[in-house]
Structure formats: C-alpha cells, structure tokens
C-alpha cells in the first residue's frame, strides 16, 4: 500500500520542474482567465503556447503526436500542480477530453492534424453534447448529420457548450442514424467552431461563467472530420468518462481558498472576538478541512486504479458525487463562517477575501448538475457499481 | 384552532399577489438588482396606495392597523417576487423599532409618512449585521453643547443607500457595554459628514456602507434613550427576524411551484422527470421543509400577536427557516438542472434572495446560540 | 389565525379534568407498560377500565355507542394530555384506528357489540395488515379468506402485528377476491385473537418492543365479523390514515425526555466542565428544541385541517415524514451529547438518565419504516400532494 | 501510488475472513453480547495460533512484526463479524500503549504473552471515555513506602471485566494537571481493592466500571513515568482511534453487502426493491460513505507507517468514519425495512456495534475540536 504519487526519479523531476515553471509563469491574471470560462485573453493564450513549447502539455502522449513521453502519473502530476495553484491546465478540454479519445479512436490523419497542435498549446475544443431537450438523457439527442457525398450537413442546436466562444473546434455529437437504437446512431465530429452556418449565443450563468447555445444551420463538415467509426460516438464519449472525471476534478484546488479563509478567521474580529475563537466557526473549519482530506483519499484511490490499468467506472462517478457535494458543503460552511459580510462580492468595500466565497457559493450550484447530475451518477453507482437491477 | 387566514388576511394576500404579479417580471427584477431605478418611485407609490406601507402602522397614525400576522401575510407575497427596494427596511425594520420605542411625538410624525409612502428608512444597528449584541453597536454619539456628534461605520446596512432617513442606534458617550447608554437617532441622509456607499452583494446593491464622520445631530433628533431602549430594540430585532422568515417562505413557496411545474413538463428518458422517484422525493423533501417553515413562521407570528412569543420562539423560527430554505434552494436547483443555473431563468433571482435573507437578521448559528442561552437559563415548555 | 387548541369552556374543562385525573392515576409502571409494547400488565388494564368508567375514553363518539359526546378537539386533547405525560391512550389501536373505521363503516350490530367495550377500556385490537412478502406493497397481500356459508375460513400469515399477544381482537385484512384488481379484493375482519387455529409467535426487536408473527390455520370467522362491505377493506384502511397518523404521533412526547436531558447537562461535568457549557452540547440542545417546536407547529396545522373537516391526506404523510426523521435526529443529538456513557443501558451503573437515550436511539430506528416507510410517504407527498405524475 | 494490499495483507485478509466466517454466526454473537462465554477460550487460542494477537507485536517479542496498515486489514475483517471480546483492548489499545512507551524490560515480558494469546488486557485512561485530556485521568497514585496506592474509578472501560491485566494511567501524587506526573501501571485484576463490574451497554457487557479502592501496587508495577509518558500515550490513543475506524469500516462493508443482497432479492410492487431509484440512491450514498471512510482510514494508516501522520490526520479519520458509518447504518436500516429491526436479523448486531464504536476513542465532536485546535495553531497543508 503506497499513497505516494511520485515514485520514480523522473516523476519527481517532472513535478519539481513543472512546479518551478508554474511558479514563475502563472500570473493571477492567467488564473483568472482560466477559472472564469469567460474566454482566454492574450495572457492565457501566450501561457498555453509557452507551456506547449516545454513539451510538458503533451506529457503522457507519444512523441510522434507532439507528446513528450511520460506516463499517466505525469498527466496527473500536471493536473495537480495546476490545481494546487488554482489554475487549470490550458486547453483542458482538448488535452484531457477530446485528445485522448482521438488518440485511441481517431484516424492517423486526424491524429497527425490535431494532436500536435493540442500538445503545443495552440488549440482548444468545446464539447457539443447537451441539447435543450437532451440533458441527463443524452442518448435522446436529436441534432442530425446528413450524409452528402464527401461531407455531412449538420443542422440543429446544442446548449451548455461552455468554451464555444473561444475554442477553436467543436467536439460535436450528433445523430447519424435515426433508425438505430438510441445509443447506436450517434457519431462524433470535429467541427471548426468558426465555420459558416454556426451561430453562438452567450448564456450568462449564476456563477458568472459564460456558456453558450450553439446553432448549426446546414453546416458542411468533411467526412475526414468524423472521429473514429460512424455511429460509435456514444461509446467514445462514455469510455473516456472515468479518466476525464478524475483529471478534471481535484479537491486540492480548495486548499488555497481554505487557507485564506482560515487566515481570515485568525485575523478578523466579530462582536469583539476573533472569528477563530468562535466555536461554531471552529466546527465549520474542522469539518471543511476533514472533507478536503477525505476527498483527496478518494482521488488517490481512483488514480491508483487508473494507474494500475483497472477500469475506472463507477469509482469515477462516486468521486464526482462526493466531490461536488463536498464543494457545496464547503461553500455553505464558508458562508456560515463569514455571516452577512460573506455575501458581499468582488469590489464591495469590506467584502471578506475579496468576495471569493460569495462567488464560490454561486459557482458550486452547478457542480452537482453539470457533467452528470448526482441523480444519474447515483444510479450508475448503484447499478454498475453495486449490481442493483436497472 | 383555526389556521385559515382571516378575511382581512385573504384580502391582503390577494391584493398583494395580483399587484406584484402584474408589476414585476424577471427582467425587471434583474435590472433592479443591477441598480436600475426605472419605475421605482411609481411602484413605491402604488404600493403605498394599496396600503402596503401602512399595514402594520396603527390606525391612529393613519395606518391600516394590522397585526403582526397580517404583516407576515403581506411579506410572504413579497418574497414570492423577491421584491427589491426599501420596503422591508422601512415598513418592517424601522417601523418595528419605532413602534417598540413608542414615542408618540416621533411616531405621530414618522409613521404617517411611512404609511403614505412619503419616506423610506434604513436602520444602523450593530457591526456587520450583528444586531443582537448591545456591545456591538456600530456608532458612538458624543454629546456636545447643542446635540451630539456621531461617529462610526454602519456596515451591511439594508437599503442604506436609497433611503431618505436613517435610524441609528448609538452608544452615547464612550462606554461601549452598558445597555442603558443606547440612544436612538433619526437623521436625514443629507446631513453633512454622512457618506453612503452601495455595496455589491450576492443580491445586487441592496446593502450599503454608511460612514459617519463627525456628523452633528441636534438634540431633537434623539428619539429615545435610557434603560428601556435596548430591550425595546431587541424585541424589534427578533420580530423583524420572524418577518424576514415570511419573505423567505414566500420565495421558497414560489421555488416549489416553479420546480414542480418543471418536473411535470420536462421530459427525459421518455417521461416527465417528475415521475422519477429521485425527483419526487426531492420535491417531497422541499414541501416538507416549506410547510414546516411556513407554519412555524405563522405560529410564531400568532404567538407574537398574543403577546406570548419568547425570544427563543422567534430565534427558533429563524433557525428553522434558514435551514429549511437553504435545503429547498439546493434541491430546487437540483431538480431544475442546467437551465436553473442560467441567469435568464428565475432560479438565480431566488438563489440571490435566499442567500442574503439567510444571513439577514441573524444566521442559524447566531440564533442557535441565542436558543441555547435561553434553554440554559429559562424553562423549556 | 388561531393556534389555541382549546377554545370553548367545555374543552378547557375537559382538558383540566382529564389532566388532573392523569396526574392522579398514571403511575410510572403504567407508562412503562404503555410504552414497551410488551403487553399490558394488570396495572395498565385496571387503569384503562378506570379511564373508561369516566366516559372520557369514548369522548368524541356518540353516546349510544358508549361515547360521551364531545368533539374531535376532545379526542386531540386526550391524545396530547397522555403524550405530554409520556403515556399512551389505553387500547389506542381500538380507540383511534379500528373504532373510528367501525363507526363509519360497520354494521349496527358490530358497532353495538364492540364500540361500547372500546369506550369502556375493556378491549384492545391488533392490526393484521403486513405479510412477510407484503410490506410497503400492502395491496399485494396474499392471505386469503374463503367463503364457506355463514363464515369465512382463513389461512395464512401476518407479521409485525405488534399487540397480538395481548390484544383481544385481530383487525385483519385479507384477500376475499383473488380475481379482482389488487386493491379491490381485500376485506377487513374482526377476529377473536384467541380463536382456535391462530398461533402467535413473538418477534424480539432492536428497540426491545415485542411484535409478532400471527399464523392462521383454517380459522373460521363468522360473516357478522366482516367490517362494512366485502372487498372494500383497502379503502377503509386508507381513509383512516390521516386521522390515525395525527392521533398516534405527538412530538410533545419528546418534551419530558428533552427536559431531563437538559437538566442532566446542567448538572453533569465532563472533563471538569459542565456539559451545558460545552458549545457542541449547546448547539445540539438548541437544534433539538427547535425541531420539537417545528413539529408542533406542523401538528397544529394538520389538526386545524382535521378540525375544519378538510381532508387530511398528504399532510399527514408529510407530518409523519417530518416527525419520524426528527425523532431520529433527536436521538443522534442525544447520543452525541452524552458521549460514551450515553451508550449505557438501563441498569448499568452510571448510565445517564437511566439509559433512556440509548433505549430511545434503538427505538426510533423503526420510526421511518413502520406505518409507511419514508420512501412510500415521500412518493405520496409528491404525487398526491404536489401533483407529480405517478 | 499503489493501493493494492501487499501479499502479506492479502494473506491476513483471507485467513481472517475465512476463520471468522467459519467461526461466528449471528446467534453466537447475540449470545456473546448477553454474556455467554461458550467457546471463548478456544476461539481466543485459535486466533492466537493464526497469529492475530501478534500481528502488531514486533518480531523481537515473538510477534508477526506487521505494520500499522497490516493491523488495519485484520481489524476490518473483525468488524465484518462484529467480533466480541478483548481482542481490541488487548491487541490494539494496550499494545499500542506498550509499544509507544517502549520499555524493553516490560515489553519483553508482556508482548510475547499477548502474541501467544496467554493474556488479555484492558486499559484505564480518562474519565468516561475521555482519552485525550491529561487532566481527565481517572486514577491517582499516591506514593507510599514500598510502592503506590491507587484510587479512583475507571468508567466505561472496554473489556474491563474479562481481562487478566489492566494497564492504568494515573496521576502520581495529587496535582491533576501536569503531563509530567503521569504514571503507567500494569496490574493483575485480582489485586485486593479492585472491584470490576460489567456494564450493560448498547452492545452488551463489553465495557465495565473498575473501582480502585486503596489498591496497593508495588514499585515494579510502575512501567513508565516522566515527561515522555503523556506524549507517548496520546500518540497511542490517536493510533487506536484510527484502528477503531478499521473495525467500523469492516462492519459497514458488511452492512452494505447485506443490504445490497436484500435489495436484489426482496420484491415489492412486482420487482426487486433494488430497481427503485430511492433504494438505488440510498445504496449509492452508502457506498460513497463506505469508500470514502475506507480509503481515508487506509491512507491515514499508511501515513502512520510512513511516520507522517499528524494528530489532525488521525482525528479527521475518526470524524469522518463516525459520520459516514452513522449514515450507512441509518440508510442500511431504511433499505432493510421491518426485518432489519428484528433482533433475529443481523442488522441489530451492526447497529449495536456501530453505536458503541462511534463513541469509542472519541466522538465526532471530540475529534472536530482537536482538528480545530490544530488548524488554528498549525499549518494546514
């Protein structure tokens, strides 16, 4: 039994070099652009290219596709080193969601075209899965691609495509065989996000992030942009889920905000008494700290399975269930600790910690919804993880 | 035992629901949050004309003379539309203080003006929304020859930016612990030395920071002082906490309606999501929380009107409404799914409203502490 | 809006006279016999007859059936006055479950035979509903009554018939038409609990109460003992549910134990400090007190509906949902307050409050299960109370 | 990162699971709870022969020399059958203290006897299970000419009635606050003046009250004293708290198995209840709690073996296991329905076991207080 992430010298070297790079290059502005989903500014774009140039962004991928060797441990090191600095790996959708699927299932041409540009930090993708009437029931999607010689012609609408306003490509799931059973008629395409016929409408969210509706009006997509085999799209989407959930969710990200909150309670008085001396505040803090540690233990276990080559199925759903609910409890505790002032937002005179907990509280609302609702995930855990009948 | 609304209460409910539903829509409410004052004065006057401002003002002061439960009925309706503006701070917060202080010379001037919609008020009490501790008053008033000099900062003052007058509780002199030295002042916001700054909160610009820098107050603006003052204030604060619960219950009642409607209409996996047990049970939990909060709130209102409400009864009401409404909000979002996270939907209005309300007039922790204090010193019956 | 229970002089007089009677006559031994479901001893039997002799047990029933007039308010006063003294109205199943159903639906002969004996405190009933394979899905019950001239012949098994070992009659639901749709083929019978062919096997429970399995082997039941119409039994069972739930559940019963716990914390030190001075203990106590008060407000609302003649449907389910979960939280708080010693039981040297909280904790486990599981009740609230589709 | 059990741990797991499953059945466990000692000696010796007693005893003292994680693996198995008897008090609680004190002359005598199954031990520490406060030690030891006189009451002592020896922590002299004056004694239970009374607990007679009435102890029975004693004891207590978590996790793992089996087999409304969303989601919640508790427990065990576990790491582990296991227990009963409430079913065994364990070696409140203390004074990493 060994919970050490880095066990080889190479891994340790990678971690420390990457850490040093990030300490040097990551600015608050870049972190802000990462976390807001409002679009990458020039700073974040430049940073992505700089990281790409080191070869580290492609760590874990074959060299011929722009990768730099290394293992899944390196990928996890990368994710964690960014997370502990409250940043996100640049072009994360391309790097951890679309890229790996392409690597396993894409044609040689597709891989050669896209993977090196992902590894170089050049391009980002946006997921095009959800439709207004297909949320939890993703397999009911209705947006269609019609075969038309060398290309498909696509019309319809997607929603909650969070990166579409700044991403370069749309990772689009559409129905290609309306007559097949639901899961069997869906294909994945890589579509130029700026192609003629595409309209992107912004959706403002409670948490302040931007997401989008994306409308397709007879958009022509060459057949070379089909990912893998026709009508296998749903399986490609599903097979990557465990890996994605682990790589995208890192509770270590909560540690810096927690430390700031802790420090705030040690230095701020309410009613003549330090917050940290209030037993209610103490209980909230202790519970928050405990739950972060528990989440980390669960993540360690999931990563150990992944590293071991074991399938990461319901374990990833369970991890997301735990982590998302934990983040919501975290925000509730934080607001309880901060009281009325904790409801002040960025820019308000006297807002504790610059209003970050008010912001966090709004943001985490979607955590138990997006990327699989808790209800769907619980059913997955119960049926796939525990063998209960469907 | 008869928990039906009185005829008068039903009238209040209907008139408020009809007016508010016809007047507010989601876009307007979002605009208000971001600072728009379009139609604010017109709406304010219409509400006054409908008698809303005078609901809890005694008839002798040109009010409607309603009891506390009548006020709760009206506030529940206002919660349903997440009513913005200085209604609560004027008609509940400030009015409760004025009624509790019971100074006829003051009330005969201010209460009719409140009832007619002529003026709006805010209240400066304790530090950072801490309203239950006399040692935590935000301001000090130093006597000088023709009055007082007010200093201090009122932080997180509901509607402190858009009100005409501010009622301030201040320590007179320098001692900061005695209940006897509390003085209450009523001052116009244009007095020199008072700076008001709106604060960006989760629910927009509905609170403010008021800085008093050597503000000269003439003697007549002291409206109460002495040993009765703090107990009266405290009583008003607890009643106001219960009133805040009525707003929260109204908001949550509307959340439950929105969510149930969605659960009936939204289809996934070939059927309405409301036919799935997980969604049904979320909804049942929401209704359980809503009903329990609602009847706790009205029962406490009735106890208040009967003169039988203890401090604990009122504190427990805020504890439970805070806890129940937080769960309703969370489950509501969960049932709504992604669409409820979009600002164009109604849910974010309620999210912002409830998050502010659960911290207003005492958090759960604040009130549990009060309940515990009373449990340990009084008899639980 | 009026939350006063007693509004007339007659009601107030009844309450005070009954209260005085109970203060005089109720002994701890009687309360113990009431609460344990272990069987009524001679003291509890004698007490029931004494109460019956006052006429108050039949309060709310017509005089010709042994009642003494009065209203549903009087019934509720009776329930509450017993509950606040931690006792239970004697023969409660007969008085509040079977009796009212009989009163509405029974034949004149049946009413004349049984109701006066219930009102006099003479007889108790035991519910015979659940079967080993029919729990939440009660309508699937399989135990059958076969028509045989003047009587029915009944064979089969019931389970969780809690009072059968001391009750005089079995209030038995059995299938009388196997061909009808599930809810339409069930009838209710009054069966002498000591009739030949009936075997009662005790089941010991976690909470220490006794319950029973009841086996019928060709038990002959005269047709005069059919309650109301044939095949209407399920509806009779259902129509009474709201009333039963309200009359059987009273959170006021928790107030005496809560006060004892409170007093204990004020007089007991742990680690050199009074328990009552421990902020964790304070928080637990405040939450417990709050929830009892909330439950009372919900009960008031339910009773107001009942008194008003409004149907008490999902409101009673909601009340039971709340109350049962509240009692479980109450027990958890109590154990948290009492720490290790709180796990000592009756008779153990040093057990706080004679071990009553340990006992309570075990007892409340069944509260969210018996009399309708919380899962079933939530579905009732959602579908019947909120109009969600079945 | 490799969370697989080592080969040795798998051996321990298999051997324990096979032996315990073959040895215990529900009826036996109920009998044990009610005081039956049938087969207890035989089982004890079999377990010793299998190496269970020596698992954490260093090889130099004739033990198995396993690390802390090995011990956790074994305890998880014991939790699965709610193992009764003085195993935990002897092999974990007392052994951890002895190892922490590290007195070779003592350990060379006692540890081999533990490993061989020759003796059983109990431990008397603080008042009423309060094991983390030096001021709360239950006993005082007054020096006299040839030794000490022990007085005081050890309340709620795990397996205090059926053990051969008692290790006692006592204040030497009369001062009750200094950590330096803590002395540790090892005494045989037949010493005059020691009265032992078994207590009826939620899990039967597994705890006792030990009254020391002028018990004369000879000087040699003092096995440790001085400034290192309390820190060593405290370390042992925290490790033991983590060990208790392993038992709880094992019990809950078995609850989950029982419940899932039931949910697959029990049919209502024409289908297995496990096909209903409400039941599925209860089960998923249970697994989430179980996995999180389990991996937190093993990770902390690993940290302990690496010498990197802080006091907080260990306290957090008990906090979370207490909280998670309580929920698992409650949901387990809910899915089982009425049958799980009958004493003849296995669920009550687990109910009684978990309710005791959640209070043993510190409640959630106790450990949250410790975590908070450390958070406020140390760095959180």
């Amino acid at each position: 039994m060994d919970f050490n992430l880095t066990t080889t010298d190479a891994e340790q070297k990678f971690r420390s070099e990457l850490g040093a790079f990030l300490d040097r290059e990551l600015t608050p502005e870049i972190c802000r652009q990462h976390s807001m989903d409002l679009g990458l500014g020039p700073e974040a774009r430049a940073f992505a290219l700089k990281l790409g140039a080191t070869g580290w962004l492609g760590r874990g991928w074959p060299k011929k596709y722009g990768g730099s060797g290394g293992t899944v441990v390196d990928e996890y090191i990368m994710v964690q080193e960014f997370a502990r600095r409250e940043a996100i790996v640049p072009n994360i959708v391309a790097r951890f969601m679309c890229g790996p699927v392409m690597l396993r299932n894409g044609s040689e041409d597709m891989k050669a075209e896209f993977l090196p540009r992902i590894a170089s930090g050049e391009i980002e993708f946006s997921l095009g899965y959800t439709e207004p009437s297909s949320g939890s029931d993703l397999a009911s999607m209705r947006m269609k691609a019609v075969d038309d010689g060398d290309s498909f012609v696509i019309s319809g609408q997607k929603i909650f495509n969070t990166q579409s306003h700044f991403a370069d490509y749309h990772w689009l799931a559409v129905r290609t065989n309306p007559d097949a059973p639901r899961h069997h008629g869906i294909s994945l395409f890589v579509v130029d996000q700026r192609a003629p016929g595409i309209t992107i409408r912004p959706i403002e969210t409670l948490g302040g992030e931007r997401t989008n509706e994306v409308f397709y009006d007879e958009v022509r997509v060459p057949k070379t942009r089909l990912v893998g085999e026709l009508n296998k799209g749903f399986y490609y989407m599903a097979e990557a889920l465990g890996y994605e959930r682990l790589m995208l969710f890192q509770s270590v990200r909560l540690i810096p905000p927690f430390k700031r909150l802790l420090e705030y309670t040690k230095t701020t008085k309410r009613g003549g008494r330090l917050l940290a001396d209030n037993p209610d505040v103490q209980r909230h803090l202790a519970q928050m700290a405990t739950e972060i540690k528990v989440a980390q233990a669960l993540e360690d276990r999931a990563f150990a399975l992944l590293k071991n080559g074991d399938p990461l199925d319901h374990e990833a759903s369970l991890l997301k269930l735990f982590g998302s609910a934990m983040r919501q409890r975290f925000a509730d505790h934080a607001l309880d600790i901060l009281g009325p002032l904790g409801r002040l937002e960025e820019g308000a005179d006297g807002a504790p910690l610059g209003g970050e907990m008010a912001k966090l509280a709004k943001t985490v609302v979607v955590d138990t919804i997006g990327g699989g609702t808790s209800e769907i995930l619980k059913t997955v855990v119960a049926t796939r993880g525990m063998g209960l009948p469907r | 035992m008869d928990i039906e609304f009185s005829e008068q209460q039903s009238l209040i409910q209907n008139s408020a629901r009809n007016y508010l539903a016809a007047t507010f829509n989601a876009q307007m409410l979002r605009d208000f949050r971001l600072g728009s004052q379009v139609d604010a004065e017109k709406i304010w006057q219409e509400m006054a004309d409908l008698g809303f401002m005078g609901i809890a003002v005694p008839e002798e002061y040109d009010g409607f003379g309603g009891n506390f439960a009548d006020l709760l009925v009206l506030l529940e309706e206002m919660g349903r539309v997440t009513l913005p503006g200085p209604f609560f701070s004027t008609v509940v917060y400030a009015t409760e203080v004025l009624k509790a202080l019971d100074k006829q010379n003051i009330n005969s001037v201010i209460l009719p003006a409140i009832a007619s919609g002529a003026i709006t008020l805010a209240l400066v009490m304790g530090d950072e929304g801490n309203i239950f501790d006399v040692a935590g008053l935000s301001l000090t008033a130093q006597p000088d020859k023709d009055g007082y000099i007010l200093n201090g900062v009122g932080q997180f003052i509901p509607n402190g930016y858009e009100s005409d007058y501010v009622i301030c509780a201040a320590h007179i002199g320098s001692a900061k612990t005695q209940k006897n030295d509390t003085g209450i002042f009523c001052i116009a916001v244009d007095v020199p030395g008072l700076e008001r700054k709106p604060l960006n909160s989760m629910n927009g610009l509905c609170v403010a920071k008021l800085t008093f820098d050597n503000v000269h107050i003439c003697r007549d603006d002291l409206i109460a002082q002495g040993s009765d003052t703090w107990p009266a204030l405290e009583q008003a604060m607890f009643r106001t906490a219960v009133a805040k619960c009525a707003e929260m219950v109204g908001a949550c009642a509307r959340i439950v309606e929105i969510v149930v409607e969605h659960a009936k209409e939204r289809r996934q996996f070939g059927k309405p999501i409301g036919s799935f047990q997980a969604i049904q049970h979320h909804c049942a939990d929401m209704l359980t929380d809503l009903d329990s909060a609602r009847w706790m709130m009205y029962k406490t209102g009735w106890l208040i009107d009967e003169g039988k409400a203890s401090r604990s009864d009122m504190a427990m009401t805020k504890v439970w409404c805070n806890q129940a409404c937080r769960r309703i909000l969370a489950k509501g979002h969960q049932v709504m799914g992604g669409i409820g996270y979009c600002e164009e939907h109604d849910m974010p209005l309620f999210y912002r409203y409830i998050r502010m309300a659960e911290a207003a007039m005492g958090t759960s922790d604040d009130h549990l502490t009060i309940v515990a204090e009373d449990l340990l010193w009084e008899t639980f019956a």
Side-chain angles (χ1 to χ4, degrees), chain A residues 28-105:
Chain A
E29 175 58 23
I30 296 170
C31 293
R32 203 189 62 77
Q33 291 176 14
H34 279 179
S35 67
M36 293 294 285
D37 282 341
L38 290 173
L40 295 183
E43 296 84 353
R45 287 269 182 195
F47 172 80
L49 293 171
K50 201 178 270 184
L51 179 71
T54 62
W56 291 333
L57 189 52
R59 197 84 175 180
W61 285 1
K63 292 192 176 157
K64 67 170 171 169
Y65 300 127
S68 58
T71 65
V72 69
V73 174
D74 292 338
E75 294 186 329
Y76 200 59
I77 288 171
M78 181 157 59
V79 164
Q80 290 215 325
E81 290 303 310
F82 274 86
R84 75 173 73 249
R85 290 168 177 83
E86 296 177 88
I88 293 171
V89 178
N91 301 339
I92 190 164
V93 175
R95 174 59 188 83
F96 287 110
M97 304 181 81
C98 311
V101 172
M102 212 181 258
L103 193 61
R104 270 193 308 275
N105 307 293

Side-chain angles (χ1 to χ4, degrees), chain A residues 54 80 174-175 191 204 240 242 252 273 312 330 335:
Chain A
T54 62
Q80 290 215 325
V174 285
R175 191 160 296 285
V191 186
E204 194 191 341
V252 70
R273 178 169 66 167
L312 204 55
F330 183 98
L335 290 190

